[in-house]
Amino acid sequence: MIIDTAGPQIRALFTTRRWLVVMLTGLLVAVAVVAGARHWSQLNTVEHVGILLAASLAVTGATTSRNPRRLWLCDASVLVLALTALAAPDGSPRWIPMPNVASYTAFMAIVLTSRRTGFVIAWAGAAFVALIWWRHPTNIIASALELWGGWIVVVQILVTALAAWWAWNTVLDEALASDHDSEQRELSAVHSIAEQERARLWRSTAAQLHESLLNSIRYVLATPAPDRERLAGYVGTTSHAPDAPIVLSLDRLLADVLDDPIAAEIVQVPSARPEAELEPEVFDALRAALIEVAHNSARHGGASQLHVDFETDPSGLLTVHANDNGTGMSGRSRPGIGTEVVLSRSVTAVGGTVQVTNGRDGGTDVTLTMPADGVSPQRWLRTRTYPPFDKGRLLVSASLAGACLVGIVFFLILWPVLELDRTGGSHFWLTVIFGIAGCTIPALVVLRRRQLTLLVGLGLIMVPALVPWFLRTADYGCAQSASVASVINIAGFAVVAIAAWAGLLPGAAGVITWATGTLVVFGNTPVACNQGVQLALSNSLLVIPLALTVTYVGVRTDQRAENRVNTARRREIIEQSRSAAEADLNADLEGAVDDAATTLAAIVAGESITPEVRAQLESADARIRAAIQVDSAKAGTFARVAKRVVDSASAGGISVAVRALGGSDDTRPISAHLEMLVTHAVSATRTRQPVLQVFTDGTSDYLSALVDLDGLKHAGLRAGESRLYGDVTVNVLEEAVDTEADSTEFSLLLSRKIDTLDDVQRTQ
């Protein structure tokens, strides 16, 4: 996979992988180099070369690890240590921690290879350890390999590797699914932007065409007896809106399919079809799939007829059944690349499924199922989701949990220690009980994949942490050191695995408790054979910085990736909302145009121009002017509010005179109460036609509503008063007295200083 072109979640996961591999290599090679340096004079030339080569490969791999291919140098450095154990002659001192070398080599190879290869490597790693132990080289620190012929450790390495394989592929699949979802959201946002552009273009064209319609309305309203013949000429050229955007229906789909000459010969069009509007990506995929089915039926099955039927369900799922009268699946040649690419990849890319079977009465049946709105599979299948920031924890703790499960066997074979227990066996049984419970807890925590609370984490981590303290009450000899070292090592792994999910305070308490108890046991073990206990202590303590670093890196990289995903989600929502707003604007405009054209056509036909007809024309005029002037992507809040007031008043039968709806692009919201106040004032105005206007002086935005006294009272306002609603000032100004109508006009003036911050700054 090319990381530069990968999605944010994959890049975050690969960054976590890089730190994991580098840390694993650095810790293990450092331990081996230090151990080898202590016995340098006793080592042979092969071991000297092995140490130097392993260190060189580790340093080179770490410094060039930004290149994913160079991470193999890290794995190779650990593999060199394992090969050194095979190549070196007998007689060398023990300095290679063999179980760790085999486990780390397999783990790194698993996260650097494909799913299938990694599964094979998990088994190969265990087999490799068995091969090395079969030769019994003297330069390895055997530790638990000395128990039961080493088979417990071999099985433990296998289970640990399989757990790592499961964890890596789990988080990899989740990252791929998340990135696919983000990609679909980006495509959806791009599609919404394209829809907005088409809608704005349509409305712009409509504005030019409907200028004549508005002039016709003004002509009728201003003329007591309009010339109907002259009006008929206007209506004939302006009563129709420009063609609306094409609706991608099933009828359009079948028409496009039948444009293909092969499909036109055999496809039988159903007489009845459900109503369904398809998203462009679904339309394209379904059209290509049906044409491919027709080609396969004719060329491979020799069919002369292909019956196509459509079904939809309330959830928006579209099912297409296509069955032919050909030879069926058994008589066909092997499907070609068209079937693989079109029927499989293209359909599944839009959330669809494909099923190809032999027909009940012969021929072949093809069933295509997909959501009509083009929702991707991750968004319409019910899947379990997990909280973010757990990928690093899972990668570290899954392998430890696997080792702990097999490590239960070490507690079951601990019986030689029973006779040495100075408490009469009570501490021995506590060791076994706490050890088995402590080895089970990490697996449950890993499978749960949820952060533990403070008290729960503290309680769970103390179960394995107390194991060394129960072992301190026995005096051990060299015969028991391997068994004791094994259970202490497993308990330490359990502590670290739980700590990864328990947080800092429980983790620190558990590690300190376990490490202190281990030091006490170390002091009770003979010096000549305490190397195993020392290795157990160092193993678990070295895993701690690994777990901390990888978890921290995973959290940071996942946080950045999640921020990018959330940005894509916000963008999708914003663009879809804007696209819907554009569609609503166009629908309002088209509805107002149709109403005006219908009324004008009735006047041309001889209908009298009654006050009701005039009110209808005035209402249509206001709606058309508002829809043309308000751009959903660029209009500020005041212009949007003015349009909603016009729509609300028109729905109540109140015609509003709309002047210029300008203003800035300041989209900060205003209170719903204030918008309702303006709506009430306009809707309650009866003695005159209310007038709405929005403008700006470059510093502030203004919304002016000219209303009468009834409208003012209905809004709960008085002449001359001033109110503040958040950052919006409302002033009521007395404009003039209409002596003929015996009424006073009032201007309801809303003003607000323009916000100079851009959209990015507002969202931060």
Side-chain angles (χ1 to χ4, degrees):
M1 179 179 292
I2 301 176
I3 298 181
D4 292 339
T5 60
Q9 290 288 354
I10 286 293
R11 290 198 298 270
L13 179 60
F14 281 11
T15 299
T16 304
R17 180 187 69 174
R18 177 167 66 89
W19 280 91
L20 179 61
V21 170
V22 170
M23 289 289 294
L24 278 174
T25 304
L27 292 173
L28 185 58
V29 172
V31 169
V33 168
V34 171
R38 291 171 57 187
H39 307 286
W40 187 263
S41 60
Q42 304 174 46
L43 302 183
N44 54 56
T45 304
V46 173
E47 291 173 309
H48 290 164
V49 172
I51 291 175
L52 295 176
L53 181 59
S56 300
L57 289 173
V59 172
T60 304
T63 55
T64 61
S65 61
R66 289 189 177 275
N67 184 337
R69 294 184 178 87
R70 302 291 175 83
L71 288 174
W72 279 105
L73 296 176
C74 295
D75 197 24
S77 68
V78 181
L79 183 60
V80 166
L81 296 176
L83 295 176
T84 302
L86 281 176
D90 293 339
S92 296
R94 296 183 175 187
W95 63 277
I96 302 176
M98 196 66 232
N100 301 54
V101 168
S103 298
Y104 289 13
T105 303
F107 185 96
M108 288 187 284
I110 285 170
V111 300
L112 293 173
T113 56
S114 65
R115 186 187 304 264
R116 292 183 179 179
T117 305
F119 186 76
V120 173
I121 288 173
W123 292 86
F128 185 63
V129 173
L131 174 64
I132 292 178
W133 183 241
W134 174 67
R135 296 193 51 175
H136 283 77
T138 60
N139 61 353
I140 68 171
I141 303 175
S143 186
L145 280 170
E146 298 175 350
L147 301 175
W148 283 41
W151 288 107
I152 299 176
V153 173
V154 171
V155 174
Q156 189 177 45
I157 290 175
L158 173 61
V159 174
T160 300
L162 290 175
W165 176 82
W166 167 79
W168 170 252
N169 287 285
T170 295
V171 296
L172 182 62
D173 288 343
E174 291 173 1
L176 288 170
S178 177
D179 285 343
H180 176 74
D181 187 64
S182 297
E183 183 181 359
Q184 294 301 312
R185 292 181 185 277
E186 287 291 341
L187 292 176
S188 176
V190 171
H191 172 68
S192 297
I193 292 173
E195 288 291 326
Q196 294 172 46
E197 290 300 323
R198 285 196 292 269
R200 280 195 286 269
L201 180 61
W202 181 86
R203 195 166 62 253
S204 175
T205 305
Q208 299 174 14
L209 293 176
H210 297 323
E211 190 61 38
S212 297
L213 181 63
L214 292 172
N215 291 335
S216 299
I217 295 173
R218 291 298 186 191
Y219 168 68
V220 173
L221 294 176
T223 307
D227 185 340
R228 297 180 190 271
E229 292 184 3
R230 176 184 174 189
L231 184 60
Y234 285 142
V235 173
T237 58
T238 64
S239 60
H240 297 288
D243 292 337
I246 296 174
V247 177
L248 301 179
S249 63
L250 294 179
D251 290 339
R252 177 63 185 271
L253 172 69
L254 287 172
D256 281 13
V257 170
L258 294 177
D259 284 341
D260 181 83
I262 296 177
E265 291 182 1
I266 66 171
V267 171
Q268 304 295 309
V269 177
S271 57
R273 296 179 290 276
E275 293 291 334
E277 183 175 346
L278 308 178
E279 288 296 316
E281 62 270 17
V282 176
F283 182 90
D284 293 339
L286 192 52
R287 176 182 56 191
L290 286 177
I291 292 175
E292 180 63 26
V293 170
H295 284 206
N296 284 342
S297 296
R299 293 176 178 174
H300 302 296
S304 60
Q305 291 184 347
L306 177 66
H307 296 276
V308 179
D309 290 306
F310 300 92
E311 293 179 6
T312 57
D313 65 14
S315 66
L317 202 63
L318 173 66
T319 303
V320 183
H321 300 283
N323 54 83
D324 62 30
N325 61 349
T327 58
M329 295 290 292
S330 58
R332 289 175 183 250
S333 60
R334 184 175 180 178
I337 190 172
T339 301
E340 168 66 21
V341 174
V342 178
L343 288 185
S344 298
R345 299 183 186 177
S346 298
V347 173
T348 56
V350 294
T353 60
V354 181
Q355 184 179 9
V356 183
T357 60
N358 280 315
R360 185 176 303 175
D361 300 322
T364 304
D365 287 347
V366 179
T367 302
L368 308 173
T369 304
M370 64 186 69
D373 59 358
V375 181
S376 63
Q378 287 72 25
R379 295 170 63 188
W380 68 283
L381 293 177
R382 297 176 63 87
T383 57
R384 182 180 180 187
T385 57
Y386 297 94
F389 322 139
D390 70 340
K391 293 183 177 63
R393 294 190 186 99
L394 185 64
L395 289 175
V396 172
S397 59
S399 298
L400 297 176
C404 291
L405 283 178
V406 181
I408 292 176
V409 178
F410 291 122
F411 289 92
L412 297 178
I413 63 174
L414 196 60
W415 56 267
V417 179
L418 176 61
E419 299 177 354
L420 304 176
D421 187 4
R422 296 193 300 270
T423 63
S426 60
H427 278 193
F428 167 80
W429 290 112
L430 286 174
T431 300
V432 174
I433 294 171
F434 273 65
I436 294 175
C439 288
T440 307
I441 291 171
L444 299 177
V445 171
V446 168
L447 292 175
R448 181 177 177 268
R449 292 185 66 182
R450 294 290 189 276
Q451 183 84 20
L452 300 174
T453 61
L454 177 63
L455 293 179
V456 172
L458 191 60
L460 293 179
I461 203 170
M462 283 301 169
V463 175
L466 290 173
V467 167
W469 289 95
F470 297 132
L471 289 171
R472 80 185 192 282
T473 57
D475 298 318
Y476 306 111
C478 290
Q480 297 83 32
S481 63
S483 297
V484 173
S486 298
V487 296
I488 289 178
N489 189 34
I490 291 301
F493 283 170
V495 169
V496 176
I498 299 172
W501 299 91
L504 181 60
L505 182 59
V511 170
I512 292 173
T513 301
W514 172 86
T516 306
T518 301
L519 289 174
V520 173
V521 175
F522 180 75
N524 294 341
T525 307
V527 177
C529 50
N530 65 3
Q531 190 178 27
V533 178
Q534 183 180 4
L535 179 63
L537 180 62
S538 61
N539 274 347
S540 298
L541 292 180
L542 286 175
V543 172
I544 294 174
L546 170 69
L548 290 175
T549 303
V550 174
T551 300
Y552 174 76
V553 171
V555 168
R556 291 291 303 273
T557 56
D558 276 358
Q559 178 70 69
R560 289 194 291 267
E562 192 69 15
N563 289 339
R564 296 189 188 100
V565 171
N566 288 334
T567 299
R569 290 171 182 162
R570 287 195 299 268
R571 185 177 181 228
E572 180 192 30
I573 294 172
I574 291 172
E575 298 303 341
Q576 285 183 344
S577 300
R578 288 175 176 174
S579 181
E582 291 284 353
D584 290 341
L585 277 175
N586 287 355
D588 291 344
L589 176 57
E590 194 169 5
V593 168
D594 288 342
D595 291 344
T598 300
T599 303
L600 290 175
I603 293 174
V604 170
E607 182 178 341
S608 301
I609 306 177
T610 63
E612 290 77 12
V613 171
R614 287 184 174 274
Q616 292 175 6
L617 289 176
E618 289 173 346
S619 176
D621 177 82
R623 291 164 57 197
I624 293 172
R625 292 180 183 276
I628 289 176
Q629 294 185 71
V630 177
D631 187 326
S632 62
K634 300 178 182 178
T637 298
F638 278 21
R640 297 168 191 256
V641 169
K643 184 185 180 304
R644 289 196 291 267
V645 171
V646 170
D647 292 341
S648 178
S650 298
I654 304 298
S655 63
V656 181
V658 177
R659 302 292 184 257
L661 299 182
S664 72
D665 59 356
D666 186 351
T667 57
R668 288 174 298 158
I670 66 172
S671 69
H673 177 71
L674 179 55
E675 182 173 336
M676 189 61 66
L677 183 146
V678 178
T679 302
H680 286 168
V682 171
S683 300
T685 298
R686 293 289 188 273
T687 60
R688 69 170 325 280
Q689 185 182 29
V691 180
L692 274 179
Q693 184 176 7
V694 176
F695 56 94
T696 181
D697 60 5
T699 302
S700 300
D701 281 330
Y702 300 91
L703 187 155
S704 172
L706 198 61
V707 299
D708 63 9
L709 184 59
D710 290 337
L712 199 64
K713 291 180 178 179
H714 195 74
L717 298 172
R718 297 190 304 274
E721 74 170 318
S722 177
R723 296 184 184 180
L724 187 64
Y725 292 86
D727 54 0
V728 180
T729 302
V730 179
N731 292 293
V732 182
L733 309 175
E734 185 172 344
E735 295 291 338
V737 177
D738 188 343
T739 55
E740 295 182 1
D742 193 23
S743 65
T744 305
E745 297 177 354
F746 299 91
S747 177
L748 190 61
L749 186 65
L750 281 64
S751 62
R752 178 174 67 178
K753 290 186 67 65
I754 298 173
D755 186 1
T756 57
L757 294 178
D758 56 28
D759 292 338
V760 175
Q761 291 173 299
R762 288 192 194 104
T763 57
Q764 291 179 344

